[in-house]
Amino acid sequence: MARLHFLKSGLQTTVQDLGRHGVQDLGIPINGAMDKASAQLANQLVGNDANSPVLEITLLGPKIQFEGPCQIAITGADLSAEINGNTIPLFRTINIEHGDVLSFGKPLIGCRAYLAINGKWDIQSWLGSFSASATNTAQTTPDSIIEKDQILEIIRGKEQPIIAISESERTSLSIEVPIKVYSGPEFEAFSDVEKQSFFGDSFTIGQDSNRMGYRLKEALNCYTKKEEVISSGVIPGTIQITNSGQPIVLMADAQTTGGYPRIANVSSTDLDRLAQFKPGDKVKFELISFK
C-alpha cells in the first residue's frame, strides 16, 4: 500500500479517468480527463489500464508526500514538477521512495498535467467512472476533488520497467496551430461573412472558461441573431454561438443538451490539444471534412 498525503491541494486537482459514458440520455455529463491522450500515456508508463484514474492538475499543482514506495508518471503540461526539490522528467516512469515529496512550480508549457500512480486506487466510483462529477460531487465521487490534508491510498501493482515516451508520441501542446473542426448541424444557418470571421479571426479564451466550456471573448463579425433552436444534443467539442455572436467550446463537463446554434465540432484529437490552452491564449479554427 502506498499513501499520498496532500500537503497542498493545488488550484484544481481532481481525479479523472476516460469519462462516464452511456448515461448522457439521463442528462449526466461525460466528465473525464480534459486531455485524454495524455492521461492514457501516463497510465501506460506505470502499467495501468488506459481507463485507470489519474490526477488532473491544473496550472498550480499540489504538494504531495508519499508514504511507501510506488511508481508514478507525469504527462501533459510542464508545471515544473520536482521530487524533493529536484526537477524530474515528464513522460517517463519514476520510482518513488517512502518520504519523497512531489511539488510543482511555475507553469511552463500547457495548462493540465496528469499524474498516474501504479496500482489500484482505493476511491469510490459512480456510474462506472472515478471522474469528479460536474454536479453533486460530494455525494457521488467524494474522493475525486482533492483537498488539503486528504489521504489517497493506492494498492500497489507489479513493478514496471523504467520507460519513456518520445516527443513524437506525445500530444502536441502547440497553441500556434489552428484547432481542426468539422461543420456542425447548424453550419449552413451562418452567413458567408460569419463563417469567414469564425475561420479567419483569432479568439481569446476568456477568464470565465472552465471544464464545462471555453468562452471566447470576441464575437463573429457582422453577426445576426439566429432563430431559436430547439434544445438538441451536444457533446464535448461542440462549438455553440451565443445570441451575442460569441463562440463557446464545450469541454469535458459539458451539459448534454443546448439551445444555441452549433456551428462546428472540434475533432477528438484537437480537443485534447485545446484542453492545454489557458485563459488569455488565442485560438484559431480550421475546417476539415469527414473522410
PDB file of all heavy atoms in Angstrom, residues 90-122:
ATOM      1  N   LEU A  90       9.241  14.608 -17.548  1.00  0.00           N
ATOM      2  CA  LEU A  90       7.875  14.227 -17.894  1.00  0.00           C
ATOM      3  C   LEU A  90       7.900  13.034 -18.837  1.00  0.00           C
ATOM      4  O   LEU A  90       8.933  12.700 -19.416  1.00  0.00           O
ATOM      5  CB  LEU A  90       7.158  15.400 -18.566  1.00  0.00           C
ATOM      6  CG  LEU A  90       7.077  16.715 -17.799  1.00  0.00           C
ATOM      7  CD1 LEU A  90       6.334  17.759 -18.624  1.00  0.00           C
ATOM      8  CD2 LEU A  90       6.413  16.511 -16.450  1.00  0.00           C
ATOM      9  N   PHE A  91       6.767  12.366 -18.971  1.00  0.00           N
ATOM     10  CA  PHE A  91       6.589  11.255 -19.903  1.00  0.00           C
ATOM     11  C   PHE A  91       7.619  10.144 -19.653  1.00  0.00           C
ATOM     12  O   PHE A  91       8.160   9.558 -20.578  1.00  0.00           O
ATOM     13  CB  PHE A  91       6.680  11.753 -21.352  1.00  0.00           C
ATOM     14  CG  PHE A  91       5.546  12.663 -21.746  1.00  0.00           C
ATOM     15  CD1 PHE A  91       5.662  14.040 -21.569  1.00  0.00           C
ATOM     16  CD2 PHE A  91       4.369  12.167 -22.270  1.00  0.00           C
ATOM     17  CE1 PHE A  91       4.617  14.895 -21.921  1.00  0.00           C
ATOM     18  CE2 PHE A  91       3.328  13.010 -22.624  1.00  0.00           C
ATOM     19  CZ  PHE A  91       3.446  14.374 -22.449  1.00  0.00           C
ATOM     20  N   ARG A  92       7.832   9.835 -18.371  1.00  0.00           N
ATOM     21  CA  ARG A  92       8.806   8.797 -18.001  1.00  0.00           C
ATOM     22  C   ARG A  92       8.384   8.156 -16.689  1.00  0.00           C
ATOM     23  O   ARG A  92       7.865   8.834 -15.794  1.00  0.00           O
ATOM     24  CB  ARG A  92      10.203   9.419 -17.845  1.00  0.00           C
ATOM     25  CG  ARG A  92      11.311   8.423 -17.521  1.00  0.00           C
ATOM     26  CD  ARG A  92      12.636   9.154 -17.361  1.00  0.00           C
ATOM     27  NE  ARG A  92      13.758   8.260 -17.149  1.00  0.00           N
ATOM     28  CZ  ARG A  92      14.110   7.772 -15.965  1.00  0.00           C
ATOM     29  NH1 ARG A  92      13.419   8.123 -14.864  1.00  0.00           N
ATOM     30  NH2 ARG A  92      15.148   6.975 -15.849  1.00  0.00           N
ATOM     31  N   THR A  93       8.554   6.849 -16.575  1.00  0.00           N
ATOM     32  CA  THR A  93       8.300   6.151 -15.324  1.00  0.00           C
ATOM     33  C   THR A  93       9.315   6.604 -14.275  1.00  0.00           C
ATOM     34  O   THR A  93      10.514   6.690 -14.549  1.00  0.00           O
ATOM     35  CB  THR A  93       8.435   4.629 -15.523  1.00  0.00           C
ATOM     36  OG1 THR A  93       7.741   4.236 -16.704  1.00  0.00           O
ATOM     37  CG2 THR A  93       7.873   3.875 -14.322  1.00  0.00           C
ATOM     38  N   ILE A  94       8.823   6.885 -13.065  1.00  0.00           N
ATOM     39  CA  ILE A  94       9.694   7.376 -11.989  1.00  0.00           C
ATOM     40  C   ILE A  94       9.438   6.556 -10.726  1.00  0.00           C
ATOM     41  O   ILE A  94       8.289   6.363 -10.315  1.00  0.00           O
ATOM     42  CB  ILE A  94       9.430   8.861 -11.710  1.00  0.00           C
ATOM     43  CG1 ILE A  94       9.811   9.708 -12.931  1.00  0.00           C
ATOM     44  CG2 ILE A  94      10.204   9.336 -10.473  1.00  0.00           C
ATOM     45  CD1 ILE A  94       9.428  11.152 -12.834  1.00  0.00           C
ATOM     46  N   ASN A  95      10.502   6.054 -10.120  1.00  0.00           N
ATOM     47  CA  ASN A  95      10.399   5.332  -8.853  1.00  0.00           C
ATOM     48  C   ASN A  95      10.378   6.318  -7.685  1.00  0.00           C
ATOM     49  O   ASN A  95      11.219   7.212  -7.608  1.00  0.00           O
ATOM     50  CB  ASN A  95      11.565   4.358  -8.686  1.00  0.00           C
ATOM     51  CG  ASN A  95      11.477   3.182  -9.646  1.00  0.00           C
ATOM     52  OD1 ASN A  95      10.372   2.747  -9.988  1.00  0.00           O
ATOM     53  ND2 ASN A  95      12.615   2.665 -10.067  1.00  0.00           N
ATOM     54  N   ILE A  96       9.412   6.139  -6.801  1.00  0.00           N
ATOM     55  CA  ILE A  96       9.244   6.993  -5.629  1.00  0.00           C
ATOM     56  C   ILE A  96       9.602   6.204  -4.371  1.00  0.00           C
ATOM     57  O   ILE A  96       9.197   5.044  -4.225  1.00  0.00           O
ATOM     58  CB  ILE A  96       7.785   7.504  -5.534  1.00  0.00           C
ATOM     59  CG1 ILE A  96       7.455   8.405  -6.719  1.00  0.00           C
ATOM     60  CG2 ILE A  96       7.538   8.220  -4.209  1.00  0.00           C
ATOM     61  CD1 ILE A  96       8.203   9.712  -6.751  1.00  0.00           C
ATOM     62  N   GLU A  97      10.332   6.835  -3.462  1.00  0.00           N
ATOM     63  CA  GLU A  97      10.686   6.207  -2.200  1.00  0.00           C
ATOM     64  C   GLU A  97       9.828   6.778  -1.071  1.00  0.00           C
ATOM     65  O   GLU A  97       9.271   7.875  -1.185  1.00  0.00           O
ATOM     66  CB  GLU A  97      12.174   6.439  -1.890  1.00  0.00           C
ATOM     67  CG  GLU A  97      13.130   5.927  -2.961  1.00  0.00           C
ATOM     68  CD  GLU A  97      13.058   4.425  -3.139  1.00  0.00           C
ATOM     69  OE1 GLU A  97      12.695   3.723  -2.162  1.00  0.00           O
ATOM     70  OE2 GLU A  97      13.349   3.950  -4.260  1.00  0.00           O
ATOM     71  N   HIS A  98       9.748   6.032   0.025  1.00  0.00           N
ATOM     72  CA  HIS A  98       8.996   6.496   1.191  1.00  0.00           C
ATOM     73  C   HIS A  98       9.521   7.853   1.663  1.00  0.00           C
ATOM     74  O   HIS A  98      10.726   8.058   1.797  1.00  0.00           O
ATOM     75  CB  HIS A  98       9.129   5.476   2.332  1.00  0.00           C
ATOM     76  CG  HIS A  98       8.501   5.931   3.610  1.00  0.00           C
ATOM     77  ND1 HIS A  98       7.142   5.935   3.814  1.00  0.00           N
ATOM     78  CD2 HIS A  98       9.053   6.439   4.752  1.00  0.00           C
ATOM     79  CE1 HIS A  98       6.873   6.402   5.019  1.00  0.00           C
ATOM     80  NE2 HIS A  98       8.024   6.718   5.608  1.00  0.00           N
ATOM     81  N   GLY A  99       8.625   8.795   1.870  1.00  0.00           N
ATOM     82  CA  GLY A  99       9.007  10.121   2.355  1.00  0.00           C
ATOM     83  C   GLY A  99       9.264  11.139   1.276  1.00  0.00           C
ATOM     84  O   GLY A  99       9.407  12.336   1.570  1.00  0.00           O
ATOM     85  N   ASP A 100       9.321  10.710   0.002  1.00  0.00           N
ATOM     86  CA  ASP A 100       9.538  11.666  -1.085  1.00  0.00           C
ATOM     87  C   ASP A 100       8.388  12.671  -1.154  1.00  0.00           C
ATOM     88  O   ASP A 100       7.236  12.342  -0.865  1.00  0.00           O
ATOM     89  CB  ASP A 100       9.653  10.947  -2.438  1.00  0.00           C
ATOM     90  CG  ASP A 100      11.016  10.298  -2.650  1.00  0.00           C
ATOM     91  OD1 ASP A 100      11.926  10.565  -1.844  1.00  0.00           O
ATOM     92  OD2 ASP A 100      11.149   9.535  -3.626  1.00  0.00           O
ATOM     93  N   VAL A 101       8.733  13.905  -1.571  1.00  0.00           N
ATOM     94  CA  VAL A 101       7.728  14.965  -1.700  1.00  0.00           C
ATOM     95  C   VAL A 101       7.712  15.451  -3.146  1.00  0.00           C
ATOM     96  O   VAL A 101       8.735  15.866  -3.685  1.00  0.00           O
ATOM     97  CB  VAL A 101       8.014  16.140  -0.743  1.00  0.00           C
ATOM     98  CG1 VAL A 101       7.028  17.289  -0.994  1.00  0.00           C
ATOM     99  CG2 VAL A 101       7.930  15.679   0.712  1.00  0.00           C
ATOM    100  N   LEU A 102       6.536  15.373  -3.747  1.00  0.00           N
ATOM    101  CA  LEU A 102       6.330  15.874  -5.108  1.00  0.00           C
ATOM    102  C   LEU A 102       5.698  17.251  -5.032  1.00  0.00           C
ATOM    103  O   LEU A 102       4.700  17.452  -4.340  1.00  0.00           O
ATOM    104  CB  LEU A 102       5.403  14.931  -5.883  1.00  0.00           C
ATOM    105  CG  LEU A 102       4.903  15.405  -7.250  1.00  0.00           C
ATOM    106  CD1 LEU A 102       6.063  15.559  -8.234  1.00  0.00           C
ATOM    107  CD2 LEU A 102       3.859  14.440  -7.807  1.00  0.00           C
ATOM    108  N   SER A 103       6.288  18.209  -5.741  1.00  0.00           N
ATOM    109  CA  SER A 103       5.740  19.567  -5.767  1.00  0.00           C
ATOM    110  C   SER A 103       5.793  20.098  -7.194  1.00  0.00           C
ATOM    111  O   SER A 103       6.457  19.536  -8.065  1.00  0.00           O
ATOM    112  CB  SER A 103       6.508  20.488  -4.821  1.00  0.00           C
ATOM    113  OG  SER A 103       7.880  20.557  -5.184  1.00  0.00           O
ATOM    114  N   PHE A 104       5.098  21.205  -7.403  1.00  0.00           N
ATOM    115  CA  PHE A 104       5.035  21.818  -8.720  1.00  0.00           C
ATOM    116  C   PHE A 104       5.324  23.304  -8.585  1.00  0.00           C
ATOM    117  O   PHE A 104       5.023  23.917  -7.558  1.00  0.00           O
ATOM    118  CB  PHE A 104       3.656  21.615  -9.352  1.00  0.00           C
ATOM    119  CG  PHE A 104       3.322  20.176  -9.619  1.00  0.00           C
ATOM    120  CD1 PHE A 104       2.825  19.359  -8.620  1.00  0.00           C
ATOM    121  CD2 PHE A 104       3.533  19.627 -10.878  1.00  0.00           C
ATOM    122  CE1 PHE A 104       2.518  18.023  -8.862  1.00  0.00           C
ATOM    123  CE2 PHE A 104       3.239  18.300 -11.132  1.00  0.00           C
ATOM    124  CZ  PHE A 104       2.731  17.500 -10.123  1.00  0.00           C
ATOM    125  N   GLY A 105       5.904  23.870  -9.643  1.00  0.00           N
ATOM    126  CA  GLY A 105       6.249  25.285  -9.615  1.00  0.00           C
ATOM    127  C   GLY A 105       5.532  26.052 -10.696  1.00  0.00           C
ATOM    128  O   GLY A 105       4.329  25.914 -10.894  1.00  0.00           O
ATOM    129  N   LYS A 106       6.278  26.828 -11.450  1.00  0.00           N
ATOM    130  CA  LYS A 106       5.726  27.711 -12.474  1.00  0.00           C
ATOM    131  C   LYS A 106       5.266  26.921 -13.688  1.00  0.00           C
ATOM    132  O   LYS A 106       5.982  26.047 -14.185  1.00  0.00           O
ATOM    133  CB  LYS A 106       6.789  28.725 -12.897  1.00  0.00           C
ATOM    134  CG  LYS A 106       6.324  29.722 -13.949  1.00  0.00           C
ATOM    135  CD  LYS A 106       7.455  30.688 -14.303  1.00  0.00           C
ATOM    136  CE  LYS A 106       7.006  31.668 -15.392  1.00  0.00           C
ATOM    137  NZ  LYS A 106       8.092  32.598 -15.765  1.00  0.00           N
ATOM    138  N   PRO A 107       4.055  27.208 -14.203  1.00  0.00           N
ATOM    139  CA  PRO A 107       3.630  26.575 -15.465  1.00  0.00           C
ATOM    140  C   PRO A 107       4.506  27.071 -16.616  1.00  0.00           C
ATOM    141  O   PRO A 107       4.625  28.268 -16.833  1.00  0.00           O
ATOM    142  CB  PRO A 107       2.176  27.047 -15.630  1.00  0.00           C
ATOM    143  CG  PRO A 107       1.765  27.562 -14.286  1.00  0.00           C
ATOM    144  CD  PRO A 107       3.006  28.068 -13.635  1.00  0.00           C
ATOM    145  N   LEU A 108       5.115  26.134 -17.337  1.00  0.00           N
ATOM    146  CA  LEU A 108       5.995  26.494 -18.444  1.00  0.00           C
ATOM    147  C   LEU A 108       5.321  26.312 -19.798  1.00  0.00           C
ATOM    148  O   LEU A 108       5.385  27.183 -20.650  1.00  0.00           O
ATOM    149  CB  LEU A 108       7.279  25.658 -18.375  1.00  0.00           C
ATOM    150  CG  LEU A 108       8.130  25.844 -17.111  1.00  0.00           C
ATOM    151  CD1 LEU A 108       9.344  24.932 -17.163  1.00  0.00           C
ATOM    152  CD2 LEU A 108       8.554  27.304 -16.958  1.00  0.00           C
ATOM    153  N   ILE A 109       4.691  25.161 -19.989  1.00  0.00           N
ATOM    154  CA  ILE A 109       4.004  24.862 -21.245  1.00  0.00           C
ATOM    155  C   ILE A 109       2.708  24.135 -20.918  1.00  0.00           C
ATOM    156  O   ILE A 109       2.715  23.173 -20.154  1.00  0.00           O
ATOM    157  CB  ILE A 109       4.864  23.972 -22.168  1.00  0.00           C
ATOM    158  CG1 ILE A 109       6.210  24.640 -22.490  1.00  0.00           C
ATOM    159  CG2 ILE A 109       4.132  23.659 -23.465  1.00  0.00           C
ATOM    160  CD1 ILE A 109       7.162  23.749 -23.250  1.00  0.00           C
ATOM    161  N   GLY A 110       1.609  24.591 -21.502  1.00  0.00           N
ATOM    162  CA  GLY A 110       0.351  23.904 -21.308  1.00  0.00           C
ATOM    163  C   GLY A 110      -0.367  24.314 -20.036  1.00  0.00           C
ATOM    164  O   GLY A 110       0.064  25.215 -19.310  1.00  0.00           O
ATOM    165  N   CYS A 111      -1.467  23.635 -19.776  1.00  0.00           N
ATOM    166  CA  CYS A 111      -2.381  24.010 -18.702  1.00  0.00           C
ATOM    167  C   CYS A 111      -2.657  22.873 -17.721  1.00  0.00           C
ATOM    168  O   CYS A 111      -2.817  23.109 -16.529  1.00  0.00           O
ATOM    169  CB  CYS A 111      -3.692  24.477 -19.334  1.00  0.00           C
ATOM    170  SG  CYS A 111      -4.983  24.971 -18.198  1.00  0.00           S
ATOM    171  N   ARG A 112      -2.691  21.626 -18.232  1.00  0.00           N
ATOM    172  CA  ARG A 112      -3.099  20.492 -17.403  1.00  0.00           C
ATOM    173  C   ARG A 112      -2.083  19.360 -17.479  1.00  0.00           C
ATOM    174  O   ARG A 112      -1.747  18.878 -18.569  1.00  0.00           O
ATOM    175  CB  ARG A 112      -4.482  19.981 -17.829  1.00  0.00           C
ATOM    176  CG  ARG A 112      -5.585  20.981 -17.528  1.00  0.00           C
ATOM    177  CD  ARG A 112      -6.943  20.534 -18.044  1.00  0.00           C
ATOM    178  NE  ARG A 112      -7.969  21.459 -17.569  1.00  0.00           N
ATOM    179  CZ  ARG A 112      -8.336  22.571 -18.189  1.00  0.00           C
ATOM    180  NH1 ARG A 112      -7.730  22.901 -19.333  1.00  0.00           N
ATOM    181  NH2 ARG A 112      -9.261  23.357 -17.684  1.00  0.00           N
ATOM    182  N   ALA A 113      -1.613  18.930 -16.305  1.00  0.00           N
ATOM    183  CA  ALA A 113      -0.710  17.790 -16.198  1.00  0.00           C
ATOM    184  C   ALA A 113      -1.487  16.602 -15.637  1.00  0.00           C
ATOM    185  O   ALA A 113      -2.500  16.766 -14.945  1.00  0.00           O
ATOM    186  CB  ALA A 113       0.481  18.122 -15.306  1.00  0.00           C
ATOM    187  N   TYR A 114      -0.988  15.396 -15.934  1.00  0.00           N
ATOM    188  CA  TYR A 114      -1.641  14.166 -15.483  1.00  0.00           C
ATOM    189  C   TYR A 114      -0.652  13.294 -14.721  1.00  0.00           C
ATOM    190  O   TYR A 114       0.422  12.975 -15.230  1.00  0.00           O
ATOM    191  CB  TYR A 114      -2.236  13.425 -16.684  1.00  0.00           C
ATOM    192  CG  TYR A 114      -3.379  14.231 -17.268  1.00  0.00           C
ATOM    193  CD1 TYR A 114      -3.132  15.217 -18.225  1.00  0.00           C
ATOM    194  CD2 TYR A 114      -4.665  14.094 -16.787  1.00  0.00           C
ATOM    195  CE1 TYR A 114      -4.162  16.011 -18.705  1.00  0.00           C
ATOM    196  CE2 TYR A 114      -5.702  14.879 -17.259  1.00  0.00           C
ATOM    197  CZ  TYR A 114      -5.438  15.839 -18.218  1.00  0.00           C
ATOM    198  OH  TYR A 114      -6.457  16.642 -18.666  1.00  0.00           O
ATOM    199  N   LEU A 115      -1.038  12.941 -13.506  1.00  0.00           N
ATOM    200  CA  LEU A 115      -0.208  12.123 -12.627  1.00  0.00           C
ATOM    201  C   LEU A 115      -0.844  10.751 -12.475  1.00  0.00           C
ATOM    202  O   LEU A 115      -1.961  10.626 -11.959  1.00  0.00           O
ATOM    203  CB  LEU A 115      -0.060  12.794 -11.261  1.00  0.00           C
ATOM    204  CG  LEU A 115       0.576  11.964 -10.136  1.00  0.00           C
ATOM    205  CD1 LEU A 115       2.008  11.581 -10.484  1.00  0.00           C
ATOM    206  CD2 LEU A 115       0.529  12.734  -8.821  1.00  0.00           C
ATOM    207  N   ALA A 116      -0.160   9.719 -12.952  1.00  0.00           N
ATOM    208  CA  ALA A 116      -0.601   8.339 -12.783  1.00  0.00           C
ATOM    209  C   ALA A 116       0.254   7.674 -11.711  1.00  0.00           C
ATOM    210  O   ALA A 116       1.445   7.965 -11.588  1.00  0.00           O
ATOM    211  CB  ALA A 116      -0.493   7.577 -14.098  1.00  0.00           C
ATOM    212  N   ILE A 117      -0.368   6.793 -10.934  1.00  0.00           N
ATOM    213  CA  ILE A 117       0.333   6.022  -9.911  1.00  0.00           C
ATOM    214  C   ILE A 117       0.037   4.553 -10.141  1.00  0.00           C
ATOM    215  O   ILE A 117      -1.134   4.162 -10.275  1.00  0.00           O
ATOM    216  CB  ILE A 117      -0.069   6.425  -8.475  1.00  0.00           C
ATOM    217  CG1 ILE A 117       0.194   7.924  -8.229  1.00  0.00           C
ATOM    218  CG2 ILE A 117       0.693   5.606  -7.455  1.00  0.00           C
ATOM    219  CD1 ILE A 117      -1.038   8.750  -8.174  1.00  0.00           C
ATOM    220  N   ASN A 118       1.073   3.749 -10.205  1.00  0.00           N
ATOM    221  CA  ASN A 118       0.914   2.322 -10.458  1.00  0.00           C
ATOM    222  C   ASN A 118       0.078   1.652  -9.374  1.00  0.00           C
ATOM    223  O   ASN A 118       0.318   1.818  -8.184  1.00  0.00           O
ATOM    224  CB  ASN A 118       2.299   1.657 -10.521  1.00  0.00           C
ATOM    225  CG  ASN A 118       2.227   0.145 -10.504  1.00  0.00           C
ATOM    226  OD1 ASN A 118       2.247  -0.452  -9.438  1.00  0.00           O
ATOM    227  ND2 ASN A 118       2.137  -0.451 -11.661  1.00  0.00           N
ATOM    228  N   GLY A 119      -0.970   0.915  -9.812  1.00  0.00           N
ATOM    229  CA  GLY A 119      -1.765   0.140  -8.866  1.00  0.00           C
ATOM    230  C   GLY A 119      -3.243   0.473  -8.904  1.00  0.00           C
ATOM    231  O   GLY A 119      -3.722   1.218  -9.764  1.00  0.00           O
ATOM    232  N   LYS A 120      -3.969  -0.092  -7.949  1.00  0.00           N
ATOM    233  CA  LYS A 120      -5.419   0.104  -7.841  1.00  0.00           C
ATOM    234  C   LYS A 120      -5.710   1.194  -6.825  1.00  0.00           C
ATOM    235  O   LYS A 120      -5.288   1.122  -5.681  1.00  0.00           O
ATOM    236  CB  LYS A 120      -6.088  -1.209  -7.417  1.00  0.00           C
ATOM    237  CG  LYS A 120      -7.600  -1.108  -7.308  1.00  0.00           C
ATOM    238  CD  LYS A 120      -8.209  -2.445  -6.890  1.00  0.00           C
ATOM    239  CE  LYS A 120      -9.723  -2.336  -6.756  1.00  0.00           C
ATOM    240  NZ  LYS A 120     -10.329  -3.637  -6.319  1.00  0.00           N
ATOM    241  N   TRP A 121      -6.462   2.198  -7.232  1.00  0.00           N
ATOM    242  CA  TRP A 121      -6.771   3.330  -6.371  1.00  0.00           C
ATOM    243  C   TRP A 121      -7.963   2.995  -5.472  1.00  0.00           C
ATOM    244  O   TRP A 121      -9.004   2.524  -5.956  1.00  0.00           O
ATOM    245  CB  TRP A 121      -7.105   4.561  -7.208  1.00  0.00           C
ATOM    246  CG  TRP A 121      -5.957   5.088  -8.024  1.00  0.00           C
ATOM    247  CD1 TRP A 121      -4.978   4.355  -8.651  1.00  0.00           C
ATOM    248  CD2 TRP A 121      -5.671   6.454  -8.312  1.00  0.00           C
ATOM    249  NE1 TRP A 121      -4.116   5.186  -9.311  1.00  0.00           N
ATOM    250  CE2 TRP A 121      -4.516   6.488  -9.126  1.00  0.00           C
ATOM    251  CE3 TRP A 121      -6.292   7.654  -7.979  1.00  0.00           C
ATOM    252  CZ2 TRP A 121      -3.948   7.655  -9.595  1.00  0.00           C
ATOM    253  CZ3 TRP A 121      -5.738   8.845  -8.456  1.00  0.00           C
ATOM    254  CH2 TRP A 121      -4.586   8.835  -9.244  1.00  0.00           C
ATOM    255  N   ASP A 122      -7.818   3.257  -4.178  1.00  0.00           N
ATOM    256  CA  ASP A 122      -8.879   2.968  -3.218  1.00  0.00           C
ATOM    257  C   ASP A 122      -9.798   4.184  -3.101  1.00  0.00           C
ATOM    258  O   ASP A 122      -9.763   4.926  -2.121  1.00  0.00           O
ATOM    259  CB  ASP A 122      -8.280   2.600  -1.855  1.00  0.00           C
ATOM    260  CG  ASP A 122      -9.336   2.143  -0.861  1.00  0.00           C
ATOM    261  OD1 ASP A 122     -10.447   1.786  -1.298  1.00  0.00           O
ATOM    262  OD2 ASP A 122      -9.047   2.156   0.362  1.00  0.00           O
TER     263      ASP A 122
END
